[in-house]
């Protein structure tokens, strides 16, 4: 038997963080965008325990403020792309600048310096990942997917999809349908 599920990474991550932090009896407050505020400075032993506990789940403690900013940028972009209503309402550069209180030029510079890629390229990759998920898990037409992801046209979506994956969205759909028929 095969079952498809949908899950929210943010909810899962918050649950894991809460479970691990509660297990270590630390007083904390979870904020959005991957921030945890502690009521006191952590001892070296507490920090080591926390690092080990988080590491089991692939969660890394970021010490470099630039890395933290890049992760916040990625989180905000992911949140924006996954919320089609919000993504139609906001321009990404304005959204990032307004939310993080930095100029877009500064954010773009830091992002490129840390990731060796542009914010625009990250946005395209996230949109194409979501397009693949929509093709796999929803019965949407390419027109509906293009609209959902705020593309100006199906041709624009198709061009970026092919450039990123090497396949057209239609070819990807056919491959997925064949796999599902086999299973």
């Amino acid at each position: 038997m095969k079952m498809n599920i949908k899950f929210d990474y943010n909810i899962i991550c918050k649950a894991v963080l809460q479970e691990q932090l509660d297990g270590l009896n630390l007083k904390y407050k979870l904020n959005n965008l991957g921030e945890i505020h502690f009521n006191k400075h952590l001892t070296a032993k507490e920090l080591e325990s926390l690092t080990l506990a988080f590491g089991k789940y692939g969660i890394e403690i970021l010490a470099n403020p630039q890395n933290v900013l890049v992760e916040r940028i990625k989180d905000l972009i992911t949140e924006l792309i996954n919320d089609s209503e919000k993504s139609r309402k906001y321009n990404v550069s304005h959204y990032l600048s307004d939310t993080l209180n930095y100029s877009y030029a500064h954010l773009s510079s830091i992002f490129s310096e840390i990731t060796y890629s542009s914010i625009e390229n990250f946005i395209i990759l996230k949109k194409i990942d979501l397009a693949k998920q929509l093709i796999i898990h929803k019965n949407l037409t390419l027109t509906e997917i293009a609209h959902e992801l705020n593309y100006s046209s199906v041709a624009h979506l198709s061009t970026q999809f092919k450039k990123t994956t090497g396949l057209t969205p239609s070819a990807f759909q056919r491959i997925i349908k064949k796999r599902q028929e086999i299973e």
Side-chain angles (χ1 to χ4, degrees):
M1 178 179 117
K2 177 180 171 182
M3 178 187 299
N4 292 317
I5 61 171
K6 180 182 176 191
F7 44 88
D8 185 322
Y9 290 106
N10 289 331
I11 293 171
I12 293 169
C13 192
K14 277 186 178 181
V16 168
L17 289 172
Q18 288 172 331
E19 179 184 296
Q20 296 305 309
L21 290 164
D22 291 344
L24 294 171
N25 294 319
L26 296 171
K27 301 286 185 216
Y28 65 92
K29 179 182 175 194
L30 279 180
N31 292 337
N32 286 337
L33 305 174
E35 289 180 347
I36 305 169
H37 286 275
F38 294 98
N39 294 349
K40 65 176 182 89
H41 284 280
L42 300 180
T43 65
K45 186 174 180 171
E46 287 172 328
L47 188 56
E48 183 181 341
S49 297
L50 197 56
T51 302
L52 289 171
F54 285 176
K56 289 188 278 186
Y57 297 95
I59 300 170
E60 181 182 346
I61 297 172
L62 301 174
N64 180 339
Q66 290 182 330
N67 287 343
V68 172
L69 185 57
V70 166
E71 290 305 314
R72 291 181 73 194
I73 292 167
K74 288 179 178 181
D75 289 344
L76 283 170
I77 290 169
T78 301
E79 175 188 309
L80 190 61
I81 288 170
N82 288 331
D83 185 340
S84 60
E85 286 183 38
K86 191 187 258 187
S87 69
R88 275 190 269 291
K89 205 185 303 185
Y90 294 103
N91 172 294
V92 175
S93 59
H94 290 119
Y95 181 71
L96 291 174
S97 295
D98 292 347
T99 305
L100 298 172
N101 295 317
Y102 289 105
S103 73
Y104 184 73
H106 176 72
L107 295 172
S108 181
S109 174
I110 297 291
F111 191 92
S112 298
E113 183 181 316
I114 299 296
T115 66
Y116 304 105
S117 183
S118 67
I119 289 176
E120 292 76 13
N121 193 51
F122 181 76
I123 292 167
I124 291 167
L125 292 174
K126 292 306 279 186
K127 281 184 160 187
I128 298 306
D129 280 346
L130 185 54
K132 289 190 283 187
Q133 293 303 313
L134 292 171
I135 290 170
I136 292 168
H137 299 295
K138 305 258 183 179
N139 195 18
L140 301 177
T141 65
L142 292 179
T143 301
E144 290 169 326
I145 292 172
H147 177 74
E148 180 81 15
L149 297 176
N150 205 25
Y151 277 99
S152 57
S153 67
V154 173
H156 187 208
L157 166 63
S158 295
T159 300
Q160 284 190 341
F161 196 99
K162 174 134 178 147
K163 196 181 231 183
T164 303
T165 66
L167 298 168
T168 64
S170 301
F172 184 77
Q173 278 179 321
R174 284 192 299 276
I175 291 168
I176 295 303
K177 281 183 183 174
K178 284 182 182 178
R179 279 191 187 162
Q180 289 171 342
E181 288 170 5
I182 293 171
E183 295 172 354

